[in-house]
Amino acid sequence: MTILDRLAIRELTERYAAYAMRIDPLGWGKCWAEDGAWQLSSMDEPVTGRDAIIAEFAKRMEYVGSLWLSGFPMDLIVDGEMAAGKTYTREEVLPKAGGRISVNGCFHDTYVRHSGQWLFKSRRYEVLDIKREP
């Protein structure tokens, strides 16, 4: 793995967070491979395909007034055009209806390099801690 691969994957996680904080489904969707798969802990099955992932993200953000998300990739392993790792995250969600949801989590990620750019091939979310305030 080169330092350039590590930097590019880190920048991918930062773009993902920035577009999520803007609640910008189309920008956020550019972080995904066409055949990507997204699985949140509350889902039974992964959502597959970029268009379906974008639609699911838009649906899930309908209740959100604002969102703060940060994350950092760890345990990266690059094998040619594929890579795997984990991204530890901290989220602060302010729902439109009021209150606050604080979540610490970990994405179990796979990445694919497409046309020289790293994208998410899959993300499976694991909630490590969650706190809800009225």
Side-chain angles (χ1 to χ4, degrees):
M1 170 190 311
T2 70
I3 192 73
L4 293 176
D5 290 323
R6 290 185 61 81
L7 179 60
I9 290 170
R10 182 170 190 88
E11 287 178 348
L12 172 63
T13 64
E14 291 166 352
R15 275 195 318 278
Y16 178 98
Y19 284 119
M21 289 172 61
R22 294 179 188 149
I23 309 177
D24 178 349
L26 295 179
W28 182 86
K30 292 177 185 177
C31 296
W32 291 90
E34 285 289 335
D35 60 348
W38 184 41
Q39 184 176 13
L40 297 178
S41 57
S42 61
M43 293 181 188
D44 293 331
E45 297 293 324
V47 176
T48 57
R50 182 186 289 159
D51 291 340
I53 291 169
I54 291 169
E56 183 68 24
F57 174 80
K59 184 174 101 177
R60 287 179 173 271
M61 292 297 106
E62 288 175 357
Y63 84 99
V64 174
S66 68
L67 167 70
W68 182 78
L69 172 63
S70 66
F72 57 91
M74 292 288 299
D75 304 326
L76 296 174
I77 300 170
V78 175
D79 184 14
E81 302 300 300
M82 298 292 295
K86 296 177 181 177
T87 300
Y88 290 89
T89 62
R90 172 71 176 176
E91 298 177 55
E92 293 289 328
V93 181
L94 300 177
K96 291 175 183 173
R100 175 186 300 262
I101 304 167
S102 303
V103 186
N104 294 323
C106 178
F107 280 105
H108 300 264
D109 296 328
T110 60
Y111 316 92
V112 62
R113 188 176 5 223
H114 179 73
S115 299
Q117 180 181 16
W118 286 103
L119 301 169
F120 292 112
K121 175 73 173 169
S122 68
R123 298 201 96 187
R124 180 180 54 82
Y125 192 62
E126 173 188 5
V127 173
L128 301 175
D129 180 63
I130 188 167
K131 181 178 179 183
R132 299 175 193 274
E133 299 173 17

